[in-house]
Amino acid sequence: YKRVIALKPDQFAPYNNLGNVYRKLRRLRESIQCYEKALSLSPQSAVVWINLGIVLKDAGQYDQAETIFQKVIKLDPNQSQAHSALAGLYRMKGNLQAAIVAYRKAVEVEPENPILLNNLGNALMDARLYNECLVCFNRAVRLKPDYALAYSNLGAAYTFMGRSEEGIPYFRKALELDPANESAINNLLFALNYVGKCSKEELYAEHCRFEELFGARYRARWRPHSNERDPQRRLKVGYVSGDLRNHAVARFVEPIFKNHNRTQFELYAYSNCLQEDETTEHLKGYFDHWRCVVPYTDDELAELIRQDGIDILVDLSGHTALNRLLVFARKPAPVQFTMIGYMQTTGLKAIDYRITDTVLDDPATDPQRFSSEKLVYLKSGAAPFQPPPNAPEVNDLPALANGHITYASFNNLAKATPKVYETWAAILHQVPDARMLMVGNRETILKEFSAFGIDESRLEILPRQPVAEYYRLHHRVDFILDTFPYTGGTTNLIALWMGIPYVTLKGNSGVSRAGAGILRLLPFLKELVSDTTEEYISKAVSMARNLEQLAEWRKSMRPVLAGKFDWMAKRFTEELEEAYRKAWGEWCTTPQTGA
């Protein structure tokens, strides 16, 4: 292209094409310059304007990109690519309604474009409009039968609807079509935790497949680290997460950031989420350095981490959304940990350690066999918890005034499998005057309960609530029914903070034991841990006949928890820092080969 430009410098097309090449090479500044030169020669070229907007978005210049996309649409409302690019920007910022409107306009222009249909489906899925997104994804794969990404999204939609078993074949189909589809394998691994039908051996093998498909390719590229091998010096610790915002993970990581010994540890945040909020601004105050890494490719972020001289890099996401596991696969830091966001192995050999406790990974069952990382047990638990400061006071037991018990589940309904609904329905049948309060997709919940003979009149189903309203909903609840095999974490802790106990079913995996682990905080609730669904049903039913006990527990729980949460935060952080220091000392005394 440079040779063409040298021969005919007055044509815009070679500059545009050269800009495209630079963009693929991630040489964004040069790409922008080429597009700007092309526009100086052809200022009305919508294609070049769109390309410039896309590269500005890639460079993190989101406002400038949005202005350009809107300008193109104003000049030509039928520019489907501009509508789609603008929608993608809105979706990244979390403005889902605007994204859906823009994607719909793009599809109106090109109704048979499978890529646009898939993009619209993604935005609808983010907005929890699951039936509508299924229509889009199914149309996309009919138009393009080898469209791996759309198959993966079909699986994700079914998983979010609590129908993981239906979703898993779509993830496998996506991987069959495109073995390098990282999204599909992340979603598959997460969905397998929901279903709970894999043995430990099978689940571990699936996670090791992630290493085979993705991690192994980077091992030959691992480079030695130049970090100073001093076991006692102040260490640079980097935390990588897409959830440093109003998200469940933030409630667990804030106590760590808050209690870190800043004379011994210099903290770096690598935030992979553009949707910053009040929680984000609050968390920033705990860090010496804050990096928004959304625009960075995995190679670029790995190089940034090396340049920052990070000694210990910590993954807080595992195989959940917005993870950057493939950055860890490149081994940018000499010591790498994973914890909190995913109560399971990552499968990556590049991650050295995983933080856990004796409940999630019972030493008697030899859990190290099923972890690619070395397990590090902390006596204070697998994570501390920061209770919400704006939660309302605990109220009296509602059943005393209502004359009937109100059960509830506030977990993500992706965790509510058909077996869970069957169990909940059995409880409602045995307690005929009981009610059930839930937050989620009304059509899905009604369909699931109706299959087991539960009338709509006994259910109150609300859409997703603002945080303050969600807390207040607890004032209407007497007892919580936990999901299984993927039990609740944050929702269970908030329920206890609001004075509401819950029944849980303890399984064999970390995700199926979290509910039981949390109840250890209040030993008088240990009787609510069940080993079978029959026991789970019996315990939930008995609570409807023991309102005095519920009322007594309700008053006593928060005062006990307040002291424990504060102690746990400090002790957990001390133990974690000891683990960091020990791991660092081991690296300092180990001869370096490769990484």
Side-chain angles (χ1 to χ4, degrees):
Y1 288 126
K2 286 181 176 179
R3 290 176 62 191
V4 173
I5 288 168
L7 291 169
K8 295 193 175 182
D10 59 345
Q11 294 187 358
F12 83 94
Y15 284 104
N16 178 62
N17 294 337
L18 182 58
N20 293 340
V21 175
Y22 280 135
R23 177 155 57 93
K24 288 184 179 291
L25 292 171
R26 294 293 295 179
R27 292 164 63 175
L28 303 185
R29 183 179 56 83
E30 292 158 292
S31 178
I32 291 169
Q33 290 172 345
C34 286
Y35 292 140
E36 288 176 340
K37 179 64 176 177
L39 288 169
S40 71
L41 297 170
S42 180
Q44 300 303 313
S45 173
V47 171
V48 183
W49 276 114
I50 293 170
N51 287 339
L52 177 58
I54 290 172
V55 76
L56 287 170
K57 179 172 76 73
D58 290 346
Q61 299 180 42
Y62 305 115
D63 292 340
Q64 297 93 317
E66 182 178 346
T67 298
I68 285 174
F69 296 143
Q70 289 175 335
K71 175 179 178 179
V72 173
I73 291 168
K74 189 173 182 180
L75 291 171
D76 182 2
N78 291 321
Q79 271 290 342
S80 62
Q81 191 179 1
H83 284 297
S84 181
L86 181 61
L89 189 58
Y90 285 145
R91 182 180 174 227
M92 190 168 64
K93 288 182 172 182
N95 189 347
L96 295 181
Q97 293 309 311
I100 290 169
V101 169
Y103 277 134
R104 288 196 193 280
K105 289 179 179 176
V107 171
E108 285 174 13
V109 178
E110 292 188 69
E112 302 297 300
N113 186 321
I115 295 174
L116 296 180
L117 285 165
N118 179 70
N119 291 344
L120 172 58
N122 273 328
L124 291 166
M125 182 162 59
D126 289 348
R128 295 176 169 78
L129 299 171
Y130 298 123
N131 290 323
E132 293 181 56
C133 78
L134 286 175
V135 171
C136 291
F137 296 141
N138 277 306
R139 282 180 61 192
V141 296
R142 280 199 299 270
L143 291 165
K144 185 175 169 58
D146 62 346
Y147 198 179
L149 190 57
Y151 280 110
S152 178
N153 288 332
L154 266 170
Y158 280 115
T159 299
F160 289 136
M161 295 170 75
R163 296 159 61 182
S164 297
E165 287 193 65
E166 293 177 70
I168 285 171
Y170 289 108
F171 298 136
R172 297 201 186 280
K173 176 68 173 179
L175 287 167
E176 175 189 319
L177 293 168
D178 179 14
N181 190 320
E182 184 193 358
S183 171
I185 195 165
N186 276 321
N187 288 334
L188 171 63
L189 294 175
F190 204 69
L192 289 171
N193 284 296
Y194 284 143
V195 173
K197 289 190 175 180
C198 282
S199 67
K200 287 185 176 182
E201 289 79 4
E202 291 169 329
L203 194 57
Y204 181 53
E206 293 282 6
H207 283 80
C208 289
R209 186 181 176 200
F210 183 77
E211 166 69 21
E212 293 166 8
L213 290 174
F214 297 96
R217 71 178 71 170
Y218 299 107
R219 229 173 297 146
R221 292 166 48 186
W222 287 2
R223 292 148 46 199
H225 297 95
S226 59
N227 305 56
E228 182 187 358
R229 289 174 176 262
D230 177 357
Q232 303 303 321
R233 68 173 174 82
R234 188 186 189 207
L235 298 180
K236 292 185 175 183
V237 179
Y239 288 96
V240 185
S241 176
D243 302 320
L244 301 179
R245 53 192 167 95
N246 183 17
H247 186 278
V249 167
R251 303 235 65 85
F252 294 95
V253 296
E254 182 180 351
I256 302 170
F257 304 154
K258 181 179 180 180
N259 286 283
H260 256 312
N261 184 337
R262 303 294 284 279
T263 63
Q264 291 294 312
F265 298 92
E266 183 178 356
L267 303 187
Y268 287 71
Y270 299 96
S271 174
N272 195 44
C273 179
L274 195 63
Q275 300 167 33
E276 296 189 347
D277 53 26
E278 290 182 5
T279 300
T280 309
E281 293 305 313
H282 179 65
L283 293 177
K284 285 180 180 180
Y286 296 121
F287 286 86
D288 300 285
H289 311 274
W290 185 279
R291 315 270 196 245
C292 179
V293 298
V294 175
Y296 288 74
T297 65
D298 290 336
D299 278 333
E300 289 170 342
L301 179 50
E303 193 56 39
L304 173 64
I305 290 166
R306 278 186 172 272
Q307 290 172 3
D308 284 341
I310 297 300
D311 301 306
I312 297 174
L313 191 66
V314 185
D315 162 58
L316 298 173
S317 299
H319 290 283
T320 64
L322 303 179
N323 78 74
R324 300 302 295 265
L325 284 179
L326 293 191
V327 172
F328 285 80
R330 290 159 167 81
K331 199 67 173 180
V335 179
Q336 301 192 151
F337 278 74
T338 184
M339 64 180 190
I340 294 179
Y342 187 69
M343 293 173 287
Q344 180 62 270
T345 183
T346 63
L348 278 182
K349 292 184 178 180
I351 297 183
D352 307 289
Y353 303 96
R354 177 161 65 88
I355 298 297
T356 188
D357 67 9
T358 56
V359 175
L360 297 182
D361 290 285
D362 183 355
T365 65
D366 191 16
Q368 187 61 65
R369 291 183 298 142
F370 309 112
S371 180
S372 59
E373 312 87 2
K374 182 179 179 180
L375 296 178
V376 177
Y377 287 90
L378 301 190
K379 295 178 182 177
S380 55
F385 180 70
Q386 175 75 44
N390 53 342
E393 292 300 315
V394 176
N395 66 330
D396 292 332
L397 188 74
L400 297 177
N402 295 337
H404 63 79
I405 192 170
T406 300
Y407 296 111
S409 177
F410 295 134
N411 284 347
N412 181 343
L413 290 184
K415 299 178 181 180
T417 64
K419 182 63 177 176
V420 170
Y421 282 106
E422 181 183 2
T423 303
W424 290 347
I427 295 166
L428 293 176
H429 281 305
Q430 291 191 40
V431 188
D433 62 345
R435 300 290 186 271
M436 182 83 176
L437 173 63
M438 299 179 72
V439 173
N441 184 280
R442 181 178 182 81
E443 184 178 353
T444 299
I445 294 171
L446 288 178
K447 180 180 178 182
E448 295 290 349
F449 271 115
S450 66
F452 300 106
I454 299 300
D455 189 77
E456 179 179 348
S457 63
R458 302 186 63 191
L459 306 171
E460 183 173 3
I461 305 166
L462 300 174
R464 186 176 175 85
Q465 302 287 299
V467 174
E469 291 300 319
Y470 159 61
Y471 294 149
R472 280 194 285 271
L473 280 181
H474 291 77
H475 280 171
R476 301 169 55 193
V477 176
D478 300 293
F479 194 70
I480 294 287
L481 304 178
D482 200 5
T483 49
F484 57 85
Y486 205 124
T487 59
T490 308
T491 51
N492 284 343
L493 282 158
I494 289 175
L496 296 183
W497 187 248
M498 294 301 300
I500 309 171
Y502 62 88
V503 63
T504 189
L505 179 63
K506 184 174 69 173
N508 294 320
S509 65
V511 298
S512 67
R513 298 168 71 88
I518 291 168
L519 286 179
R520 287 192 311 167
L521 294 168
L522 298 166
F524 51 84
L525 296 183
K526 65 181 180 180
E527 63 186 78
L528 297 177
V529 177
S530 309
D531 293 314
T532 66
T533 53
E534 291 77 16
E535 192 178 345
Y536 178 107
I537 293 168
S538 175
K539 291 178 187 295
V541 170
S542 70
M543 286 297 101
R545 301 167 186 145
N546 201 352
L547 299 186
E548 289 184 7
Q549 180 68 82
L550 285 178
E552 181 183 332
W553 283 343
R554 196 177 187 97
K555 293 177 181 177
S556 62
M557 289 159 65
R558 185 179 290 193
V560 175
L561 288 172
K564 288 198 173 186
F565 284 150
D566 186 55
W567 174 85
M568 284 176 61
K570 292 177 177 147
R571 183 62 189 132
F572 180 94
T573 309
E574 289 171 358
E575 289 186 55
L576 181 66
E577 291 177 344
E578 290 169 6
Y580 287 167
R581 187 62 69 179
K582 181 180 179 182
W584 177 250
E586 290 175 357
W587 182 81
C588 288
T589 57
T590 303
Q592 184 158 217
T593 57

